[in-house]
């Protein structure tokens, strides 16, 4: 869930109420589409770590990448 405070909260499943953690978008180095080991992947890269998740379709993958890149740029302008 991408929050207005420029933080991405991630969950084990769509029905979970408590997040497993958060990603501060202002610290992201780059966001890229990934197709291995599965199609429709998104890789969020930091200096010392990467987060990877899968989407259900190409369209969803591109929507996530666009939204994450926009939020990353907005977050970095705030710092």
């Amino acid at each position: 869930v991408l929050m207005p405070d420029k933080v991405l909260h991630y969950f084990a499943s769509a029905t979970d109420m408590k997040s497993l953690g958060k990603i501060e978008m202002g610290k992201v180095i780059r966001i890229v589409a990934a197709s291995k080991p599965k199609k429709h992947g998104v890789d969020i890269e930091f200096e010392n770590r990467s987060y990877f998740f899968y989407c259900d379709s190409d369209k969803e993958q591109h929507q996530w990448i666009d939204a994450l890149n926009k939020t990353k740029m907005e977050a970095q302008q705030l710092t």
Side-chain angles (χ1 to χ4, degrees):
V1 176
L2 194 53
M3 303 299 288
D5 63 355
K6 312 303 180 213
V7 174
L8 177 66
H9 293 265
Y10 57 93
F11 300 81
S13 74
T15 58
D16 285 356
M17 298 301 283
K18 185 176 180 189
S19 71
L20 293 175
K22 63 183 180 178
I23 298 173
E24 295 182 38
M25 295 304 295
K27 296 180 180 179
V28 171
I29 293 174
R30 72 182 188 145
I31 300 158
V32 295
S35 60
K36 294 182 181 180
K38 293 183 181 179
K39 288 184 177 183
H40 317 306
V42 177
D43 190 17
I44 304 171
E45 299 177 1
F46 289 83
E47 188 172 318
N48 297 318
R49 179 171 184 179
S50 290
Y51 290 88
F52 188 81
F53 69 92
Y54 300 103
C55 301
D56 292 328
S57 67
D58 281 337
K59 180 180 178 181
E60 183 182 13
Q61 178 193 41
H62 292 293
Q63 288 172 333
W64 267 107
I65 291 170
D66 290 346
L68 291 169
N69 275 318
K70 179 181 177 199
T71 303
K72 173 189 158 215
M73 288 189 301
E74 291 171 354
Q76 290 174 343
Q77 289 174 355
L78 296 174
T79 58

